[in-house]
Amino acid sequence: MEVPVLCFRLLIRVFILLGVQSDNAAFRIVPNRLQLFEFESVSFHCDGLSGSVQLRGIRNTKDFICDINGTSKVSCTIQRVYLTDSGEYWCETDGGQRSNSVNITITVGSVILESPVVPVMEGDCVTLRCRNKTTSSHLTADFYKDGLFMKSSSTGEITIHSVSKSDEGFYKCNISDVGESPESRLTVRALDRETCPSSDHSFYVLLLLRTVFTIVMVVLLLLLVGLLHCGKLRVTQK
Ligand SMILES: *[C@@H]1O[C@H](CO)[C@@H](O)[C@H](O)[C@H]1NC(C)=O
């Protein structure tokens, strides 16, 4: 009994892990960022979803739908984005299966923040990069979290080495004399090491009790067999 239960729990873990990963794999944006300059081209890919897939979006409370047929059309491209293309986008199958969604912001300004498109896991290393539209060279940038100044970086980027839930929030950056980026949300997923610690505990207690019970029963059985055997011997000896 113990082995199937353990395997079952392991399987659930594996499925949760796979679920998270396929969730992330299902939706891709090229270029891989949440902020775009006006007139840039962007394409949305819905990977790992089967059947009839649509890219959907809500822009300015208006619905946006682009059909993606798994074989002939694998992505939706907007050749030139405008301010009004800002909004929430996701992939959805006709069966109602949904990928994670992303909030894309288009700016008419000349500074954007490059931040992870999909939620990051606790402990991950995250780099936020401040980008200038006209020059690719590094410019000193100031970074803000939830509207509060964080720090200044001469390389134009900051790295959070082991991200935690408290790093979640809205980030933006500013390059002096050039401009400020829009804000984008960084989402941090908690590492679910112990889904249910208390039930896990009782699970192991139960496992231990079962094992002890089994051992006791086996010993008793052996004793009984031994006694019967001795009895038989005594009977035959008589
Ligand atoms: C996108 O923005 C909407 C509206 O502000 C918000 O409700 C939603 O949670 C956001 N989604 C993500 C993935 O950040």
Side-chain angles (χ1 to χ4, degrees):
M1 223 13 222
E2 286 91 302
V3 172
V5 171
L6 261 176
C7 281
F8 186 62
R9 292 179 63 85
L10 204 72
L11 268 179
I12 290 178
R13 286 272 162 91
V14 168
F15 278 130
I16 290 172
L17 221 70
L18 283 178
V20 168
Q21 276 163 2
S22 70
D23 200 29
N24 291 349
F27 194 41
R28 242 174 354 109
I29 316 168
V30 181
N32 188 30
R33 45 187 154 90
L34 293 175
Q35 299 189 0
L36 300 161
F37 295 114
E38 201 181 30
F39 310 134
E40 262 191 302
S41 159
V42 62
S43 54
F44 300 93
H45 298 255
C46 300
D47 306 328
L49 289 173
S50 50
S52 158
V53 181
Q54 285 181 329
L55 168 77
R56 308 194 56 152
I58 301 175
R59 317 188 293 191
N60 223 342
T61 72
K62 278 209 266 316
D63 281 340
F64 166 86
I65 296 178
C66 169
D67 284 311
I68 297 180
N69 178 323
T71 47
S72 61
K73 193 154 176 252
V74 294
S75 66
C76 279
T77 305
I78 304 175
Q79 290 301 340
R80 281 152 107 24
V81 291
Y82 295 98
L83 209 55
T84 48
D85 292 318
S86 296
E88 193 171 3
Y89 294 85
W90 68 92
C91 299
E92 194 172 320
T93 65
D94 53 356
Q97 202 189 348
R98 263 182 79 147
S99 71
N100 56 305
S101 60
V102 294
N103 282 335
I104 307 278
T105 311
I106 285 96
T107 180
V108 291
S110 28
V111 176
I112 55 164
L113 176 76
E114 283 185 14
S115 61
V117 167
V118 293
V120 294
M121 297 296 276
E122 251 179 348
D124 276 358
C125 181
V126 172
T127 299
L128 304 174
R129 194 169 291 117
C130 203
R131 257 190 58 174
N132 179 4
K133 190 179 186 173
T134 44
T135 66
S136 55
S137 60
H138 298 307
L139 291 172
T140 301
D142 293 336
F143 289 85
Y144 296 82
K145 176 176 181 265
D146 298 320
L148 297 172
F149 175 74
M150 276 176 74
K151 64 169 160 184
S152 200
S153 162
S154 59
T155 56
E157 61 179 54
I158 55 168
T159 301
I160 307 168
H161 287 285
S162 180
V163 82
S164 72
K165 202 73 187 156
S166 63
D167 293 314
E168 202 168 73
F170 286 91
Y171 288 84
K172 68 175 178 186
C173 66
N174 188 312
I175 301 175
S176 55
D177 298 331
V178 181
E180 190 170 270
S181 77
E183 273 187 326
S184 278
R185 188 177 159 79
L186 177 74
T187 306
V188 181
R189 277 214 183 124
L191 262 184
D192 226 0
R193 279 194 202 86
E194 223 43 273
T195 27
C196 201
S198 59
S199 86
D200 253 18
H201 185 65
S202 59
F203 171 75
Y204 287 115
V205 169
L206 206 72
L207 197 73
L208 192 75
L209 280 178
R210 269 192 205 163
T211 313
V212 168
F213 182 74
T214 311
I215 291 171
V216 168
M217 287 312 278
V218 167
V219 167
L220 278 178
L221 204 74
L222 281 175
L223 267 177
L224 197 71
V225 169
L227 279 177
L228 279 176
H229 196 67
C230 284
K232 241 190 233 163
L233 274 179
R234 234 174 267 150
V235 169
T236 47
Q237 267 172 4
K238 264 183 190 170

PDB file of all heavy atoms in Angstrom, residues 88 101-103 185 187, ligand 1:
ATOM      1  N   GLU A  88      -3.651  43.428 -22.209  1.00  0.00           N
ATOM      2  CA  GLU A  88      -3.382  42.090 -21.705  1.00  0.00           C
ATOM      3  C   GLU A  88      -3.605  41.081 -22.826  1.00  0.00           C
ATOM      4  O   GLU A  88      -4.632  41.129 -23.505  1.00  0.00           O
ATOM      5  CB  GLU A  88      -4.325  41.807 -20.523  1.00  0.00           C
ATOM      6  CG  GLU A  88      -3.952  40.590 -19.726  1.00  0.00           C
ATOM      7  CD  GLU A  88      -4.771  40.459 -18.445  1.00  0.00           C
ATOM      8  OE1 GLU A  88      -5.676  41.279 -18.199  1.00  0.00           O
ATOM      9  OE2 GLU A  88      -4.489  39.513 -17.685  1.00  0.00           O
ATOM     10  N   SER A 101      -1.144  35.048 -18.902  1.00  0.00           N
ATOM     11  CA  SER A 101      -1.349  36.260 -19.694  1.00  0.00           C
ATOM     12  C   SER A 101      -0.235  37.258 -19.405  1.00  0.00           C
ATOM     13  O   SER A 101       0.442  37.176 -18.393  1.00  0.00           O
ATOM     14  CB  SER A 101      -2.714  36.869 -19.401  1.00  0.00           C
ATOM     15  OG  SER A 101      -2.818  37.202 -18.046  1.00  0.00           O
ATOM     16  N   VAL A 102      -0.030  38.150 -20.346  1.00  0.00           N
ATOM     17  CA  VAL A 102       1.003  39.173 -20.162  1.00  0.00           C
ATOM     18  C   VAL A 102       0.401  40.550 -20.434  1.00  0.00           C
ATOM     19  O   VAL A 102      -0.508  40.685 -21.243  1.00  0.00           O
ATOM     20  CB  VAL A 102       2.213  38.967 -21.100  1.00  0.00           C
ATOM     21  CG1 VAL A 102       2.963  37.701 -20.760  1.00  0.00           C
ATOM     22  CG2 VAL A 102       1.797  38.965 -22.540  1.00  0.00           C
ATOM     23  N   ASN A 103       0.918  41.532 -19.751  1.00  0.00           N
ATOM     24  CA  ASN A 103       0.497  42.909 -19.983  1.00  0.00           C
ATOM     25  C   ASN A 103       1.568  43.637 -20.775  1.00  0.00           C
ATOM     26  O   ASN A 103       2.665  43.859 -20.289  1.00  0.00           O
ATOM     27  CB  ASN A 103       0.249  43.613 -18.643  1.00  0.00           C
ATOM     28  CG  ASN A 103      -1.085  43.222 -18.048  1.00  0.00           C
ATOM     29  OD1 ASN A 103      -2.000  42.827 -18.766  1.00  0.00           O
ATOM     30  ND2 ASN A 103      -1.206  43.321 -16.740  1.00  0.00           N
ATOM     31  N   ARG A 185       4.943  44.974 -14.280  1.00  0.00           N
ATOM     32  CA  ARG A 185       4.879  44.200 -13.059  1.00  0.00           C
ATOM     33  C   ARG A 185       5.812  42.999 -13.115  1.00  0.00           C
ATOM     34  O   ARG A 185       5.850  42.280 -14.113  1.00  0.00           O
ATOM     35  CB  ARG A 185       3.445  43.706 -12.840  1.00  0.00           C
ATOM     36  CG  ARG A 185       3.228  43.054 -11.512  1.00  0.00           C
ATOM     37  CD  ARG A 185       1.762  42.648 -11.337  1.00  0.00           C
ATOM     38  NE  ARG A 185       1.659  41.619 -10.325  1.00  0.00           N
ATOM     39  CZ  ARG A 185       1.691  41.861  -9.023  1.00  0.00           C
ATOM     40  NH1 ARG A 185       1.804  43.098  -8.583  1.00  0.00           N
ATOM     41  NH2 ARG A 185       1.627  40.879  -8.152  1.00  0.00           N
ATOM     42  N   THR A 187       6.295  39.470 -11.456  1.00  0.00           N
ATOM     43  CA  THR A 187       5.550  38.502 -10.645  1.00  0.00           C
ATOM     44  C   THR A 187       6.483  37.390 -10.196  1.00  0.00           C
ATOM     45  O   THR A 187       7.224  36.835 -10.995  1.00  0.00           O
ATOM     46  CB  THR A 187       4.379  37.913 -11.457  1.00  0.00           C
ATOM     47  OG1 THR A 187       3.599  38.990 -11.966  1.00  0.00           O
ATOM     48  CG2 THR A 187       3.495  37.030 -10.599  1.00  0.00           C
TER      49      THR A 187
HETATM   50  C1  LIG B   1      -2.615  42.928 -16.284  1.00  0.00           C
HETATM   51  O1  LIG B   1      -3.310  44.101 -15.944  1.00  0.00           O
HETATM   52  C2  LIG B   1      -4.617  43.901 -15.458  1.00  0.00           C
HETATM   53  C3  LIG B   1      -5.269  45.253 -15.273  1.00  0.00           C
HETATM   54  O2  LIG B   1      -4.433  46.139 -14.603  1.00  0.00           O
HETATM   55  C4  LIG B   1      -4.533  43.102 -14.158  1.00  0.00           C
HETATM   56  O3  LIG B   1      -5.829  42.845 -13.667  1.00  0.00           O
HETATM   57  C5  LIG B   1      -3.831  41.768 -14.439  1.00  0.00           C
HETATM   58  O4  LIG B   1      -3.661  41.053 -13.236  1.00  0.00           O
HETATM   59  C6  LIG B   1      -2.468  42.019 -15.081  1.00  0.00           C
HETATM   60  N1  LIG B   1      -1.894  40.748 -15.468  1.00  0.00           N
HETATM   61  C7  LIG B   1      -0.612  40.435 -15.269  1.00  0.00           C
HETATM   62  C8  LIG B   1      -0.173  39.103 -15.767  1.00  0.00           C
HETATM   63  O5  LIG B   1       0.166  41.170 -14.694  1.00  0.00           O
END
